[in-house]
């Protein structure tokens, strides 16, 4: 039994261990602090007032009601503070660029709309 768990735990470690580089804007590391922002989610068509915290290739979006979601960013360096793109589904937490875990919140299953998991973040403050 233990012999089976070792390869499984090694595989899970490799899946979850992605290289973590700091997100940059104009050569400055912007990881680790919450920044006021607006977030557009194509899945709902909603524009939300949020705070966002970057960590490597991920951004955690904190909503006013106390909820949060984490998305995978499409770029490792920000060039436009008004168009930071990422993907992720509400209620899911990304393990890496291929896998995420979470609960399906929609009745009847997943959506099949292309780009439904697209987020566009616009920062409210200068970095």
């Amino acid at each position: 039994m233990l012999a089976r768990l070792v390869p499984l735990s090694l595989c899970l470690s490799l899946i979850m261990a992605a290289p973590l580089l700091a997100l940059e804007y104009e050569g400055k590391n912007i990881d680790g602090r919450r920044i006021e922002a607006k977030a557009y989610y194509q899945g709902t068509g909603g524009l939300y007032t949020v705070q966002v915290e970057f960590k490597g290739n991920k951004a955690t979006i904190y909503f006013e009601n106390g909820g949060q979601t984490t998305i995978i960013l499409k770029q490792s360096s920000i060039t436009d503070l008004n168009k930071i793109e990422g993907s992720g589904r509400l209620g899911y937490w990304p393990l890496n660029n291929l896998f995420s875990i979470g609960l399906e919140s929609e009745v009847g299953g997943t959506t099949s709309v292309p780009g439904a998991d697209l987020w566009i973040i616009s920062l409210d403050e200068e970095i």
Side-chain angles (χ1 to χ4, degrees), residues 38-55:
K38 298 281 189 283
Y40 168 76
Y41 180 45
Q42 191 168 355
T44 61
L47 181 64
Y48 305 94
T49 299
V50 300
Q51 291 183 331
V52 64
E53 182 177 2
F54 300 103
K55 185 173 183 182

Side-chain angles (χ1 to χ4, degrees), residues 1-117:
M1 177 76 173
L2 184 59
R4 291 183 189 171
L5 292 177
V6 171
L8 177 62
S9 63
L10 179 61
C11 288
L12 288 174
S13 296
L14 292 174
I15 288 171
M16 294 179 70
L20 188 62
L21 302 173
L23 186 68
E24 293 185 350
Y25 174 69
E26 294 183 347
K28 293 183 257 176
N29 176 344
I30 62 167
D31 278 1
R33 68 181 182 110
R34 287 192 187 189
I35 302 167
E36 300 292 325
K38 298 281 189 283
Y40 168 76
Y41 180 45
Q42 191 168 355
T44 61
L47 181 64
Y48 305 94
T49 299
V50 300
Q51 291 183 331
V52 64
E53 182 177 2
F54 300 103
K55 185 173 183 182
N57 68 337
K58 296 178 182 169
T60 300
I61 299 170
Y62 298 92
F63 298 96
E64 291 180 318
N65 68 359
Q68 68 184 58
T69 192
T70 300
I71 65 172
I72 300 286
L73 300 174
K74 293 187 178 200
Q75 65 263 36
S76 60
S77 179
I78 295 174
T79 56
D80 184 352
L81 295 177
N82 294 309
K83 191 173 182 187
I84 303 166
E85 294 185 4
S87 61
R89 178 174 279 166
L90 287 172
Y92 283 74
W93 189 78
L95 296 175
N96 59 27
N97 289 339
L98 299 175
F99 300 102
S100 63
I101 58 173
L103 299 173
E104 185 62 53
S105 61
E106 298 163 337
V107 176
T110 61
T111 61
S112 60
V113 178
D117 296 335

